[in-house]
Amino acid sequence: MNFRNKKHKLLEISLTPMIDVVFLLLIFFMVTTTFSKNTIIKVILPQAEGQPVEQQKQILTLTIDKSGQYFIDDISLGDKSLDTLEKALTAYKGNKNIPLIINSDASAPVQAAISVLDVASKIGFKNITFATQK
């Protein structure tokens, strides 16, 4: 009979899998969480009740009519393409601090206004507003 004491290996608890799971849960909750207080937004455009924006000496006015045609300072752009709009806005690229005011018809396609915002922000305009009426 062999009554020798067997040496037992010490049990080790590996924390690496638990840290990985916690990290993945953290990433999941960060991605799926919304950080806005209002989830339902009711928008009625172009009418609004608000304070008028103070007039500045230089402004750039971009108008969108109901068919989606673009006008910069009442001068019609040749077509509705985004390349033409980007070239026209790039001409004002030197002074990005001038406000860009978007006058959009109430029945104009929303995609036209979103495209203007996308192109203007890509060029570097920082002061972009929509014109509304009371």
Side-chain angles (χ1 to χ4, degrees), residues 60-65 67-92 100 112 116 119:
L60 178 62
T61 305
L62 192 140
T63 306
I64 306 170
D65 67 357
S67 66
Q69 181 67 35
Y70 301 113
F71 300 86
I72 294 181
D73 290 334
D74 297 329
I75 299 171
S76 175
L77 299 181
D79 56 325
K80 298 178 186 178
S81 72
L82 295 180
D83 292 333
T84 306
L85 177 64
E86 186 172 356
K87 288 176 186 175
L89 287 176
T90 305
Y92 293 93
L100 174 63
V116 169
V119 169

Side-chain angles (χ1 to χ4, degrees), residues 93-104:
K93 189 176 180 179
N95 191 359
K96 295 177 190 174
N97 294 328
I98 63 172
L100 174 63
I101 298 177
I102 301 172
N103 293 326
S104 181

Side-chain angles (χ1 to χ4, degrees), residues 46-52 132-134:
Q47 298 178 358
E49 296 290 331
Q51 299 296 326
T132 59
Q133 63 181 356
K134 287 187 177 184

